[in-house]
């Protein structure tokens, strides 16, 4: 037999599949097997994408594989990986890397192997040490104090050692996970073991289940509302028959969508099928993942973004072996290695994090559609603010009211023209009320940092990034100005480099500054900030937990605060500069703005006390804002679909974006021109090249392909980019293709 093997190499030029002769022990490898194959003088890792009777090569030119790895990927996933490669104009190796066991990658790093892991558990001596000596030590120094006068041995513990023992209080933990949680390394654990404070033993099973934070309102199994029951019945009927169109669960915020997902997963499991639950980002919405764990226990594999490579690998195997039947995770969970898939849930289906930013730039929602269709599984997408795409193409089920029958909070839009400062008078009053009554509020401003930009009062110079054509943002707490596009940072300027003036003006308000102003406004209530700066330092979960635990306070931050949190005590939601997003030239600007305001509104009034929302905007009449204030998703979507139809924008047409870039100005334009010629030559309409702002030191030019014929557009772009990228004359340019750009 002949195996057709796709080599897992990052090199774009090396395209398989290549033929290998299967013989001896390797005779029965099948599609999805991973092989080590000889390739010229090298050895490469490859995936079997097909098995055939004969090859076009003469037998003497056929090599045999050197070895087969243990991993084998379900055949359907191999097909899916190759489909992603084609659909998103990437390479087969990159497409396949998505479906392989984590860490097997593009063959760049050494692949992981299954191994028996170590498990750490507390000993009695460890417990005693924690109780006695734990608190006294301050430095990370180990002093093995000999028992002086017959008193219990005083084991002095450094902070990391104490953290390690603390983490064992709840029960045994995998050694790797323990080291990570305690911020120590393996040698620390070994030294604790030598001192008899913990024991390390080989675990029969891979590491313990990854830890998921639980924040916010919680509930066990509940009696469904009438609307939930009808929704669950529809889902179940679809699971029973042959699943047809995907379902769209359109339920207002607080309508109990998660409970419907739980029932859907239950129904799939009952039929002996596995289920995937896609969520935007687990760190941001730990509640949802927590509910699945609570309901299904060890049958759940959680693909948390902070899992180690090893933990991901272990979870992959639990699914592959059928020990885990439910996969909860962000976009990559759509590739969970189930061979009996029955259901894919896409929670908060409007969330743009479902689109991958690097190559392959796949959209997990589209991949989910494809996978569900290919494997006869049901796709169930849900949101309070669905995409126009889903509205048009999916079959809708509605949850029109909140579970407790409470009304959605009233939303007031206030105009900011001529208003000085960050807050409108109405907002100040509302925040003051929250302060007086000791309640909770969430304030959203989609701009992190202290000020947007700095300028010199002497000569007007504006501080810009040396690598990108954008201004630097002031981060006062970090003592620096930073570029939000490339990460460049430098100390806060004290004087102008051009004219020497020491008078530097700060413009605009970001979340840092807002936090300070709120501190003054609502004192003594605590103010919690949540944006990616804080997330990187303290962790999102920690901030959400503190806000949840406080009896009153204000949570301020970027769009992170508008995700699906469920904090019943929040009585006020505020959006600042709500129409800022509308000022971007982007056909999704309205959709984004609507979703952001509606989602933030959804965080307010989930409890007994009710709630309200204030939206500050320069143009209070903006369509997206008016619909959001009226909680009118249907009206908004109808208008949006009509507008898009006129303009042939998605879902009434397909977009592909090609960005060419180069370090010197010039080659990027030339390359874009060349691609355009070829695409236009294939009779596919193309706009551009249009220059984009320089980013990360690269000059960029963009082409936009807008077509009713998706396949033709993708084929034309794929061919054109391949040809131009392979042309030495354009060697200075690189290419990024984005199908369905967000
Ligand atoms: P959504 O995702 O639609 O915004 P959630 O699923 O977060 O709503 O549910 C909101 C709250 O209502 C949660 O605290 C949930 O536990 C609770 N809940 C859901 N269904 C019911 C029900 N049938 N009866 C009572 N409480 C419910
Ligand atoms: Zn100056
Ligand atoms: Zn930059």
């Amino acid at each position: 037999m002949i195996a057709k093997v796709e080599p897992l190499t990052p090199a774009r030029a090396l395209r398989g599949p290549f033929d290998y002769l299967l013989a001896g022990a390797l005779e029965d490898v099948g599609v999805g097997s991973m092989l080590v194959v000889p390739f010229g003088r090298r050895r490469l890792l490859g995936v079997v994408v097909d098995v055939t009777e004969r090859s076009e090569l003469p037998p003497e030119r056929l090599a045999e594989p050197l070895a087969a790895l243990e991993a084998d990927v379900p055949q359907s996933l191999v097909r899916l990986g190759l489909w992603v490669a084609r659909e998103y104009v990437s390479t087969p190796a990159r497409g396949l890397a998505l479906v392989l066991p984590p860490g097997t990658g593009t063959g760049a790093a050494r692949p992981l192997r299954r191994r028996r892991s170590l498990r750490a558990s507390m000993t009695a001596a460890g417990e005693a040490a924690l109780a006695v000596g734990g608190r006294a030590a301050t430095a990370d120094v180990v002093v093995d104090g000999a028992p002086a006068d017959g008193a219990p041995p005083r084991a002095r513990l450094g902070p990391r050692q104490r953290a390690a023992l603390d983490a064992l209080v709840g029960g045994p933990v995998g050694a790797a996970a323990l080291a990570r949680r305690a911020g120590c390394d393996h040698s620390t654990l070994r030294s604790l073991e030598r001192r008899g404070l913990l024991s390390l033993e080989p675990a029969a099973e891979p590491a313990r289940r990854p830890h998921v934070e639980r924040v916010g309102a919680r509930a066990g199994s509940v009696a469904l509302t009438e609307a939930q029951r009808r929704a669950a019945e529809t889902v179940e009927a679809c699971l029973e028959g042959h699943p047809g169109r995907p379902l769209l669960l359109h339920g207002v915020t607080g309508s109990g969508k998660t409970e419907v997902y739980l029932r859907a997963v239950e129904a799939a499991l009952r039929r002996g099928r596995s289920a995937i639950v896609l969520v935007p980002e687990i760190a941001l919405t730990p509640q949802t993942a927590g509910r699945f764990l609570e309901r299904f226990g060890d049958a759940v594999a959680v693909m948390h973004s902070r899992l180690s490579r090893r933990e991901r690998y272990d979870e992959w195997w639990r699914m592959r072996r059928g020990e885990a039947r439910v996969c909860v995770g962000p976009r990559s969970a759509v590739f969970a290695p189930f061979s009996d898939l029955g259901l894919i849930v896409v929670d908060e289906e409007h969330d743009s994090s479902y689109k991958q930013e690097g190559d392959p730039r796949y959209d997990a929602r589209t991949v989910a559609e494809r996978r569900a269709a290919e494997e006869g599984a049901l796709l169930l997408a849900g949101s309070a603010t669905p995409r126009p795409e889903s509205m048009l193409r999916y079959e809708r089920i509605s949850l029109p009211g909140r579970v407790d029958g409470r009304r959605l909070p009233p939303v007031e839009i206030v105009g900011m023209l001529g208003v000085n400062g960050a807050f409108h008078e109405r907002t100040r009053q509302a925040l003051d009320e929250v302060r007086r009554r000791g309640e909770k509020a969430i304030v959203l401003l989609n701009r992190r940092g202290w000020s947007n930009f700095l300028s010199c009062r002497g000569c007007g110079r504006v501080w810009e990034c040396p690598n990108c054509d954008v201004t630097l943002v002031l981060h006062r707490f970090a003592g620096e100005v930073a570029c939000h596009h490339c990460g460049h940072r430098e100390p806060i300027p004290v004087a102008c480099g051009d004219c020497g003036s020491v008078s530097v003006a700060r413009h605009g308000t970001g979340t840092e500054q807002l936090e300070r102003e709120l501190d003054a406004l609502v004192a003594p209530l605590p103010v919690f900030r949540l944006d990616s700066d804080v997330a990187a330092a303290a962790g999102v979960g920690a901030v959400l937990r503190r806000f949840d635990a406080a009896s009153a306070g204000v949570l301020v931050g970027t769009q992170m605060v508008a995700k699906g949190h469920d904090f019943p005590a929040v009585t006020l939601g505020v959006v600042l500069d709500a129409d800022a997003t509308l000022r971007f030239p982007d056909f999704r600007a309205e959709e984004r703005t609507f979703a952001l305001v509606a989602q933030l509104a959804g965080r307010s009034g989930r409890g007994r006390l009710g709630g309200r929302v204030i939206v500050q905007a320069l143009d209070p009449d903006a369509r997206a804002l008016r619909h959001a204030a009226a909680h009118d998703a249907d009206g908004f979507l109808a208008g949006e679909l009509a507008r898009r139809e006129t303009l042939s924008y998605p879902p009434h047409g397909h977009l592909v974006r090609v960005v060419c870039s180069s370090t010197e100005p010039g080659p990027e334009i030339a390359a874009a021109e060349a691609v355009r010629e070829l695409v236009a030559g294939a009779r596919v309409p193309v706009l551009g090249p249009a220059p984009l702002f320089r980013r990360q030191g690269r000059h960029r030019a963009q082409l936009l392909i807008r077509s009713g014929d998706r396949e033709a557009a993708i084929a034309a772009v794929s061919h054109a980019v391949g040809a131009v990228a392979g042309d030495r004359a354009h060697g200075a340019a690189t290419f990024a293709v984005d199908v369905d750009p967000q």
Side-chain angles (χ1 to χ4, degrees):
M1 295 299 279
I2 305 297
K4 297 202 170 290
V5 177
E6 192 63 62
L8 294 173
T9 149
R12 250 184 197 267
L14 195 60
R15 292 257 181 137
F18 301 108
D19 290 1
Y20 288 87
L21 183 67
L22 294 176
L26 297 179
E27 208 161 24
D28 57 350
V29 305
V31 172
S33 293
M34 293 189 59
L35 300 176
V36 181
V37 293
F39 194 83
R41 287 211 217 116
R42 289 185 293 165
R43 316 165 105 205
L44 291 177
L45 202 57
V47 179
V48 180
V49 295
D50 200 4
V51 176
T52 57
E53 296 275 340
R54 54 180 74 80
S55 170
E56 300 194 340
L57 291 177
E60 65 276 12
R61 290 196 49 203
L62 283 173
E64 286 181 30
L66 302 167
L69 264 59
E70 197 173 4
D72 74 309
V73 178
Q75 288 197 21
S76 55
L77 275 181
V78 171
R79 283 198 300 273
L80 189 68
L82 293 172
W83 176 82
V84 167
R86 285 194 309 276
E87 186 76 3
Y88 295 96
V89 193
S90 183
T91 65
R94 291 203 175 117
L96 287 170
L98 297 168
V99 303
L100 299 177
T104 324
T106 47
R110 212 160 57 87
L112 288 170
R113 310 233 154 176
R114 280 166 91 178
R115 62 143 197 235
R116 296 171 80 79
S117 50
L118 283 178
R119 244 169 126 63
S121 47
M122 183 89 93
T123 60
E127 264 166 29
L130 210 49
V132 181
R135 232 153 251 133
T138 47
D140 193 4
V141 184
V142 186
V143 185
D144 252 328
D149 39 11
R154 283 196 51 208
R156 301 271 305 267
L157 296 173
R160 297 221 169 78
Q161 296 178 315
R162 186 164 67 238
L165 289 183
D166 268 336
L168 285 176
V169 169
V173 177
L178 178 62
R180 212 181 41 257
R181 250 184 258 166
C184 67
D185 58 23
H186 203 71
S187 62
T188 311
L189 302 184
R190 282 288 178 202
S191 96
L192 286 168
E193 185 197 24
R194 279 196 299 278
R195 295 168 61 192
L197 303 181
L198 59 74
S199 73
L200 290 172
E201 272 154 19
E205 280 298 295
R208 197 169 84 145
R209 317 299 338 299
H211 176 74
V212 173
E213 319 252 21
R214 310 223 13 226
V215 181
R218 45 206 58 124
S221 196
V222 292
L224 297 185
T225 63
E226 184 54 26
Q228 283 174 321
R229 195 183 52 72
R230 270 199 309 266
E233 272 171 17
T234 307
V235 172
E236 195 144 349
C238 289
L239 278 170
E240 192 55 56
H242 184 73
R245 278 208 294 171
L247 295 178
L248 171 64
L249 182 62
H250 182 192
V252 300
T253 51
S255 59
K257 292 184 285 295
T258 312
E259 195 57 40
V260 177
Y261 305 146
L262 287 164
R263 303 288 167 125
V265 170
E266 230 167 66
L269 292 180
R270 239 184 290 124
R271 287 168 175 76
R273 319 268 308 254
S274 300
I276 294 173
V277 181
L278 298 180
V279 294
E281 206 187 317
I282 291 187
L284 273 178
T285 49
Q287 291 172 0
T288 309
R291 280 192 207 152
F292 282 87
L293 272 175
E294 185 176 80
R295 193 71 58 93
F296 302 108
D298 275 351
V300 182
V302 180
M303 304 310 267
H304 198 287
S305 63
R306 282 196 309 250
L307 295 189
S308 67
R309 214 158 73 105
R310 167 59 61 180
E311 281 172 318
R312 279 167 195 283
Y313 185 77
D314 288 346
E315 289 293 75
W316 192 91
W317 272 105
R318 287 207 319 121
M319 292 187 270
R320 185 73 186 99
R321 287 194 302 257
E323 290 163 19
R325 314 288 316 280
V326 182
C327 182
V328 180
R331 57 178 177 262
S332 62
V334 76
F335 300 108
F338 297 127
S339 46
D340 55 358
L341 187 69
L343 172 73
I344 306 180
V345 170
V346 185
D347 185 21
E348 309 288 4
E349 69 104 31
H350 60 277
D351 199 290
S352 56
S353 75
Y354 285 122
K355 190 78 197 296
Q356 161 108 332
E357 276 176 15
D359 186 8
R361 293 177 174 74
Y362 70 88
D363 190 320
R365 296 164 293 199
T366 310
V367 178
E369 258 182 59
R370 168 85 184 188
R371 184 167 183 191
E374 290 283 302
E375 299 182 31
L378 173 67
L379 178 65
L380 171 62
S383 174
T385 53
R387 294 177 298 159
E389 284 89 334
S390 323
M391 200 66 174
L392 187 70
R393 299 178 29 245
Y394 295 0
E395 188 177 328
R396 179 157 72 143
I397 338 174
S398 297
L399 299 178
R402 286 187 162 178
V403 281
D404 48 14
R406 242 179 279 279
R407 288 193 320 156
L408 288 161
V411 179
E412 180 184 355
I413 309 180
V414 295
M416 290 299 281
L417 264 187
V419 174
N420 276 324
F423 297 112
H424 192 277
E425 193 45 40
R426 301 282 302 167
T427 314
R428 286 179 181 280
Q429 286 165 5
L431 283 165
D432 193 56
E433 229 164 86
V434 166
R435 179 188 63 80
R436 277 188 285 115
R437 296 194 190 154
E439 296 173 351
K440 285 187 186 176
I442 297 183
V443 178
L444 165 72
L445 173 63
N446 216 354
R447 212 157 43 219
R448 65 195 169 89
W450 184 277
S451 300
N452 297 351
F453 68 98
L454 306 176
S455 70
C456 168
R457 287 213 173 87
C459 70
R461 166 199 169 147
V462 169
W463 271 264
E464 290 190 338
C465 175
N467 312 318
C468 314
D469 296 333
V470 297
T471 56
L472 294 170
V473 177
L474 173 63
H475 288 256
R476 236 185 80 177
F477 297 139
E480 57 193 21
V481 287
C483 172
H484 286 186
H485 289 278
C486 72
H488 168 86
R489 31 190 85 220
E490 50 188 82
I492 298 175
V494 286
C496 173
D498 290 351
C499 75
S501 163
V502 291
S503 181
V504 177
R506 301 167 169 187
H507 307 269
T509 304
T511 47
E512 269 188 9
Q513 192 174 341
L514 208 56
E515 177 188 18
R516 182 63 65 84
E517 289 190 19
L518 281 165
D519 259 334
L521 211 57
V522 302
L525 299 196
V527 177
F528 307 90
R529 177 160 60 96
L530 183 60
D531 53 33
S532 53
D533 297 319
V534 179
V540 179
V543 179
L544 292 175
R545 253 195 328 273
R546 289 198 332 253
F547 180 61
D548 186 29
S551 59
V554 178
L555 178 68
V556 56
T558 54
Q559 27 129 22
M560 289 183 170
V561 303
K563 300 288 167 171
H565 316 301
D566 188 22
F567 297 118
V570 172
T571 56
L572 172 68
V574 179
V575 189
L576 303 191
D577 208 356
D579 47 355
T581 38
L582 290 176
R583 300 195 283 269
F584 286 107
D586 175 354
F587 81 97
R588 284 190 217 274
E590 307 240 337
E591 178 186 347
R592 288 228 173 82
T593 306
F594 175 82
L596 196 64
V597 172
Q599 291 290 342
L600 193 272
R603 303 312 122 213
S604 178
R606 283 175 165 244
R608 248 178 332 103
L609 299 170
R612 60 165 167 152
V613 179
I614 299 181
V615 175
Q616 297 188 173
L618 280 177
D619 174 15
D621 284 328
R623 192 176 73 89
L625 297 184
R626 275 190 294 107
H627 282 291
H631 304 293
D632 180 18
D634 287 355
F636 172 74
L637 284 164
E640 192 61 15
L641 279 167
R643 187 178 73 95
R644 298 215 188 157
E645 185 160 19
T646 328
L647 300 169
S648 300
Y649 275 131
H652 294 285
H654 301 275
L655 292 184
V656 181
R657 184 168 63 193
V658 179
V659 176
C660 305
S661 69
S662 60
T663 48
E664 297 301 319
E668 85 286 9
I669 297 279
E673 296 276 10
V675 172
R676 194 201 51 187
E677 293 270 298
L678 290 174
V679 172
R683 295 220 186 79
V684 171
V686 50
L687 300 170
L692 295 176
F693 73 88
R694 190 172 56 108
R695 182 172 178 168
Q696 293 187 307
R698 302 191 69 85
H699 299 266
R700 303 183 300 156
Q702 164 176 292
L703 296 173
L704 199 61
I705 290 91
R706 192 169 54 191
S707 167
D709 186 341
R710 183 181 181 88
E711 263 180 55
I714 291 173
V717 169
S718 184
H719 169 257
V721 169
V724 178
D727 181 350
R728 277 163 178 257
H730 295 291
T734 55
F735 304 81
V737 179
D738 195 352
V739 178
D740 304 329
Q742 291 299 296

